[in-house]
Amino acid sequence: MAEKSGYPFNLPWLKDDEFELRFTTPVTIIVGENGMGKSTLIEAIAALSGYDEAGGGKGYRPVDHTNAIDKSGAELANVLRAGWLPKVTNGWFFKAESFFSVARYLDDAAREGGGAAPDFLSWSHGEGFVRFFEERTSRQGIYFMDEPERALSPKRQLELLRILNRIQEMANAQVIMATHSPILMALPNARVLQLTRHGITEIDFRDTQHFKLYQSFTVDPQDFIKEALRDEGNSQF
């Protein structure tokens, strides 16, 4: 990739020409601060699996993003190669920001086909997503999730955690998820990969900055907030 320059090819974890990333557990969780390329990596792998960057299933294009400024995921996918054993690319790509468009597309498609619409939009955003994801992950496949906590309250995150735990225990599907949520990071036996300016490393969720920040808040909320308001430049925040 030496001939490529600029974002996303200048991401730290792409500096090695022999860059390789293996997904060895049913659920892999990708964490890191904004700008480290979490979404770009998810989008690139999804594109290699045949999914549109806007999210959805294969053959779906519910969101017109032809004029989108950020197409870094597709650009990265063009220089990567992927391998599966066994090769299973059926599944879904969930993006919180396009959930309503995807749900509306599925409802309309069902009605046009003469069937009963799943009617995901009749539920609240969080309820609709959890119901949607539980239904879609009931079969073997590969599933991508980009910051699902955007659509979920903490209570709904726990419901998603239970779904992910079933996948982890049954080992009949592959989930690759980017998240900032310590709740989702804590999934038992999931592999957590952290993206930093130094590269990609495997990490215990308890050692992530996200978890440490929330832990500090719960230990002493008043002192935590006081410190945060007093010193905006504190590296802890």
Side-chain angles (χ1 to χ4, degrees):
M1 288 182 284
E3 74 280 2
K4 299 288 186 177
S5 61
Y7 191 88
F9 308 105
N10 59 357
L11 286 166
W13 42 272
L14 287 174
K15 289 181 179 178
D16 186 355
D17 288 337
E18 301 302 318
F19 168 76
E20 182 179 80
L21 190 58
R22 293 178 178 270
F23 297 93
T24 57
T25 53
V27 179
T28 301
I29 298 169
I30 300 173
V31 304
E33 293 301 323
N34 291 333
M36 290 295 105
K38 298 187 306 301
S39 295
T40 296
L41 179 58
I42 293 284
E43 289 172 0
I45 301 171
L48 288 170
S49 302
Y51 297 91
D52 186 79
E53 287 178 281
K58 284 190 174 179
Y60 295 98
R61 192 182 176 113
V63 180
D64 182 4
H65 62 121
T66 53
N67 296 318
I69 297 174
D70 184 9
K71 297 184 179 181
S72 53
E75 291 178 4
L76 180 58
N78 289 332
V79 298
L80 295 179
R81 289 185 298 174
W84 290 265
L85 188 64
K87 185 170 184 178
V88 177
T89 59
N90 294 325
W92 202 264
F93 180 17
F94 172 78
K95 302 187 75 169
E97 62 267 33
S98 61
F99 173 72
F100 280 117
S101 295
V102 170
R104 186 175 296 108
Y105 180 93
L106 292 174
D107 284 349
D108 291 345
R111 292 189 187 94
E112 291 173 5
D119 202 19
F120 292 115
L121 293 178
S122 68
W123 300 67
S124 70
H125 199 173
E127 287 178 301
F129 164 62
V130 171
R131 177 170 169 258
F132 169 84
F133 190 68
E134 185 165 26
E135 176 184 302
R136 293 284 155 174
T137 58
S138 61
R139 48 191 178 271
Q140 187 181 40
I142 184 168
Y143 301 93
F144 303 94
M145 306 189 73
D146 189 11
E147 299 182 10
E149 66 273 12
R150 292 188 188 180
L152 303 173
S153 68
K155 181 180 178 181
R156 298 299 177 197
Q157 289 179 44
L158 289 174
E159 293 179 19
L160 175 58
L161 191 71
R162 296 186 190 103
I163 296 171
L164 294 172
N165 189 55
R166 287 199 294 270
I167 293 173
Q168 180 75 13
E169 291 180 340
M170 295 176 64
N172 64 344
Q174 181 87 50
V175 174
I176 302 174
M177 174 176 66
T179 184
H180 289 290
S181 168
I183 292 175
L184 298 178
M185 291 179 199
L187 178 69
N189 300 314
R191 188 181 184 209
V192 182
L193 299 176
Q194 179 172 254
L195 275 61
T196 70
R197 62 174 60 91
H198 304 295
I200 298 180
T201 56
E202 190 166 347
I203 189 172
D204 187 288
F205 78 94
R206 299 173 188 84
D207 295 326
T208 65
Q209 289 301 312
H210 302 76
F211 178 83
K212 291 179 179 179
L213 188 146
Y214 277 80
Q215 185 179 49
S216 296
F217 172 76
T218 56
V219 167
D220 190 340
Q222 288 184 322
D223 187 64
F224 178 92
I225 296 300
K226 186 186 299 182
E227 182 67 22
L229 296 176
R230 181 170 60 242
D231 186 4
E232 294 181 4
N234 192 324
S235 60
Q236 178 182 206
F237 307 105

